[in-house]
Amino acid sequence: MRLILRIVLFGPPGSGKGTQASLLERKYGTAHIATGDILREAVANGTEVGLKAKSYMDRGELVPDEVVIAIAKDKLASTDSNGFVLDGFPRTIEQAEALDGVLDELGMPLEAVVNLRVDQDELIKRLSGRRVCPACGEPYHIESKISKTPGKCDQCGADLVHRDDDKPEAISNRLKVYEVQTAPVLDYYDRKGLLRNVEAVGSIEEISDRIVGSLGR
Ligand code: AP5
């Protein structure tokens, strides 16, 4: 089924943005743009952007706005008419304002910002048990989403890894950074009438249906 979406998936670390964006991509063919995945790839390839980003990411802090805005701009410019699901961007007011400018230029207005709501204990459980595919970015969990072949990605067969920023100290810093720097972006979108809140506890399929339902589809 084809469904054109132009949305931001918003929410704290571990709320399921990557899981849901990747499911929407498989179901509807919508481009999944994840700034975290792009930055991790840049770090792995040792590019200039990767070298700038690595220390921030390891500490669980935000990478400077200008670096991330340039990445998102570039990706959105090459997006086709199937739309996009932004995952992990924007995370500051400055990024949200820059996104408005880029989408205006491209003539692709944002349809909605879907905020995935999950309580803190559940976030910590999800992040500490997460394993990810370094090749395609697909997330797994040691209890709730186990790969078919232990330690291997179902989508591309690569070896799964435990992200450095999923260690306890970095998790706690990421949750604090979210509250201080990122949560205020919710008000920005609420004022524009774009905010949709979705309870994001339950099965992955159920939550996907809630996301599409919140868009009135
Ligand atoms: P990023 O990769 O974007 O990390 P994040 O926002 O912290 O989000 P996560 O990837 O941790 O969680 P998620 O919400 O995608 O959850 P997931 O689906 O994996 O960013 C990493 C770093 O890059 C940042 O700290 C920053 O340094 C930098 N960065 C990135 N973007 C930036 C930006 N715009 N500005 C500045 N810096 C930026 O799910 C988590 C786990 O839960 C998985 O194990 C999954 O299997 C499990 N799970 C999912 N759904 C469910 C469910 N319904 N029930 C049970 N378990 C579930």
Side-chain angles (χ1 to χ4, degrees):
M1 184 182 150
R2 193 159 177 267
L3 191 62
I4 298 172
L5 303 170
R6 287 188 312 272
I7 62 170
V8 169
L9 277 187
F10 201 93
S15 54
K17 303 180 296 294
T19 301
Q20 293 299 333
S22 135
L23 188 56
L24 291 171
E25 183 175 36
R26 282 202 295 280
K27 277 178 163 173
Y28 308 119
T30 318
H32 171 192
I33 301 176
T35 42
D37 289 347
I38 297 166
L39 288 166
R40 276 184 290 280
E41 196 184 334
V43 171
N45 293 334
T47 66
E48 197 183 324
V49 165
L51 293 175
K52 268 190 209 156
K54 188 177 180 339
S55 62
Y56 295 96
M57 296 175 78
D58 286 348
R59 291 193 301 271
E61 283 167 19
L62 295 185
V63 172
D65 284 333
E66 67 273 13
V67 174
V68 188
I69 289 169
I71 289 173
K73 229 177 188 172
D74 198 42
K75 280 283 164 186
L76 283 163
S78 57
T79 300
D80 65 18
S81 54
N82 268 346
F84 54 83
V85 177
L86 281 167
D87 155 12
F89 182 90
R91 272 169 135 107
T92 62
I93 300 287
E94 190 171 339
Q95 291 179 22
E97 288 170 347
L99 177 62
D100 283 347
V102 175
L103 294 180
D104 267 358
E105 271 172 33
L106 295 172
M108 296 196 297
L110 196 59
E111 181 184 356
V113 173
V114 179
N115 178 36
L116 302 179
R117 288 161 48 130
V118 178
D119 69 58
Q120 180 130 335
D121 288 349
E122 174 70 12
L123 292 174
I124 292 170
K125 199 168 125 194
R126 287 186 185 182
L127 291 171
S128 45
R130 172 166 59 185
R131 300 295 180 268
V132 289
C133 174
C136 71
E138 185 68 12
Y140 296 84
H141 191 275
I142 52 171
E143 287 169 3
S144 61
K145 189 178 173 220
I146 303 167
S147 59
K148 289 181 190 124
T149 307
K152 301 273 182 197
C153 177
D154 293 344
Q155 307 298 329
C156 70
D159 288 334
L160 302 181
V161 298
H162 192 183
R163 271 170 49 174
D164 283 341
D165 62 352
D166 279 346
K167 312 279 160 64
E169 201 177 310
I171 290 177
S172 129
N173 199 31
R174 283 160 68 203
L175 292 171
K176 279 188 206 134
V177 166
Y178 174 80
E179 283 310 322
V180 175
Q181 290 178 265
T182 304
V185 177
L186 288 170
D187 277 346
Y188 177 88
Y189 286 118
D190 199 14
R191 284 199 298 276
K192 289 177 178 277
L194 289 175
L195 186 64
R196 310 281 178 271
N197 286 308
V198 166
E199 294 308 317
V201 179
S203 83
I204 288 166
E205 272 294 341
E206 242 166 50
I207 296 163
S208 175
D209 291 345
R210 280 181 218 155
I211 291 172
V212 176
S214 78
L215 304 173
R217 306 291 184 91

